[in-house]
């Protein structure tokens, strides 16, 4: 596609519900990141994929958070038993090259999760 | 600890005047520095980056930034502000301690408001 697509754009969940957030990166992009952006804050790293391999999940805040990218394209971020502190915008970003740290990331518009 | 700071939550400037959005960083080694802009309901968009070379970096939409190693700063500048420049600006630095991931550490963002 022309850009990074994320769905749903908005999700309201009751506390304790499971949610799944989808990211469809630009076709052919090797690197994929998930970031969490709380209200009034900058994005914070959650996890990184190189193709289908999850090379870094050090930013996932708890074992309730799980991400996958089984075919090296679409990625899903799953949050189990949501808590109010999970309320944030979840951003997906991708890059066509292996991640050297100098790569320019293309971000999606984000999925805004509100946990009641 | 590695970090990036944006000391101003908001910058107000009149259209046509020069603008500066401040960023300072703290990393070990040579920094990779980035500026991204976020418009409402849209993903972060890349503006410019400094990896090595000329300290003055030119980017999209007439923006530029100056890398100052002695002051550990990477301020974003534009000679003449436009109302359409009004947005949220994020400075970011590569996490040098992140192992193979080379993830970005973002500042908290600065809201730029350009008055007509």
């Amino acid at each position: 596609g022309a850009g990074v697509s994320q769905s749903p754009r908005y999700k309201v969940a009751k506390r304790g519900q499971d949610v799944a957030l989808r990211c469809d990166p630009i076709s052919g992009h090797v690197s994929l990141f998930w970031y969490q952006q709380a209200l009034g804050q900058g994005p914070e790293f959650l996890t990184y994929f190189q193709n289908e391999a999850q090379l870094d999940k050090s930013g996932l805040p708890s074992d309730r958070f799980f991400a996958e990218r089984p075919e090296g394209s679409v990625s899903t971020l799953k949050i189990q038993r949501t808590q109010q502190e999970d309320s944030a915008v979840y951003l997906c970003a991708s890059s066509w090259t292996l991640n050297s740290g100098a790569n320019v990331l293309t971000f999606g518009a984000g999925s805004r999760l509100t946990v009641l | 600890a590695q970090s990036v700071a944006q000391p101003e939550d908001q910058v107000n400037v009149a259209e046509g005047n020069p603008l500066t959005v401040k960023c300072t960083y703290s990393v070990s080694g040579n920094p990779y520095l980035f500026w991204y802009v976020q418009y409402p309901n849209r993903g972060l968009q890349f503006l410019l980056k400094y990896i090595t070379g000329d300290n003055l970096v030119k980017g999209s939409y007439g923006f530029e930034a100056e890398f100052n190693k002695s002051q550990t700063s990477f301020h974003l500048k534009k000679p003449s502000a436009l109302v359409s420049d009004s947005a949220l600006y994020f400075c970011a630095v590569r996490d040098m301690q992140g192992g193979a991931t080379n993830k970005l550490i973002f500042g908290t963002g600065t809201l730029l408001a350009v008055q007509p």
Side-chain angles (χ1 to χ4, degrees):
Chain A
V4 177
S5 178
Q6 293 188 246
S7 61
R9 288 294 314 280
Y10 304 93
K11 176 69 178 179
V12 178
K14 292 183 178 178
R15 184 178 159 192
Q17 282 185 329
D18 298 347
V19 300
L21 308 176
R22 176 188 167 105
C23 172
D24 199 342
I26 294 172
S27 179
H29 275 201
V30 169
S31 294
L32 186 145
F33 291 82
W34 283 98
Y35 282 84
Q36 180 190 57
Q37 186 176 15
L39 188 64
Q41 300 297 314
E44 293 193 358
F45 170 79
L46 292 177
T47 187
Y48 166 64
F49 289 87
Q50 184 180 109
N51 295 308
E52 69 278 4
Q54 188 176 20
L55 298 187
D56 189 338
K57 53 182 180 180
S58 62
L60 296 177
S62 77
D63 58 7
R64 297 186 294 104
F65 287 71
F66 172 78
E68 61 183 4
R69 193 186 186 198
E71 298 179 357
S73 177
V74 171
S75 177
T76 303
L77 177 66
K78 298 179 179 178
I79 309 173
Q80 298 177 325
R81 305 181 303 281
T82 52
Q83 304 294 315
Q84 284 189 322
E85 61 263 28
D86 300 335
S87 296
V89 177
Y90 291 86
L91 299 170
C92 177
S94 68
S95 172
W96 68 278
T97 61
L98 297 178
N99 186 37
S100 68
N103 296 3
V104 172
L105 299 181
T106 301
F107 281 83
S111 293
R112 181 180 297 275
L113 172 64
T114 302
V115 182
L116 302 177
Chain B
Q2 301 187 107
S3 64
V4 59
Q6 294 182 245
E8 303 154 317
D9 290 337
Q10 183 163 338
V11 169
N12 298 306
V13 64
E15 187 175 29
N17 283 1
L19 69 88
T20 299
V21 182
K22 296 180 180 177
C23 173
T24 58
Y25 64 90
S26 175
V27 297
S28 55
N30 295 319
Y32 288 6
L33 294 157
F34 299 78
W35 277 100
Y36 282 83
V37 59
Q38 187 175 38
Y39 297 98
N41 299 314
R42 297 178 65 179
L44 279 75
Q45 296 178 28
F46 170 76
L47 279 179
L48 50 80
K49 66 179 178 180
Y50 171 83
I51 305 300
T52 186
D54 195 348
N55 288 347
L56 184 63
V57 179
K58 294 187 182 297
S60 307
Y61 313 119
F63 284 93
E64 59 188 28
E66 186 169 11
F67 170 65
N68 188 318
K69 188 173 183 177
S70 63
Q71 297 186 5
T72 61
S73 67
F74 190 57
H75 301 331
L76 182 70
K77 299 182 180 184
K78 187 174 182 181
S80 179
L82 300 172
V83 172
S84 57
D85 292 331
S86 298
L88 189 56
Y89 290 80
F90 289 96
C91 182
V93 65
R94 181 182 68 160
D95 183 355
M96 306 293 286
Q97 296 176 342
T101 299
N102 289 309
K103 55 186 174 286
L104 294 180
I105 299 171
F106 285 88
T108 52
T110 298
L111 183 64
L112 174 66
V114 181
Q115 283 87 37

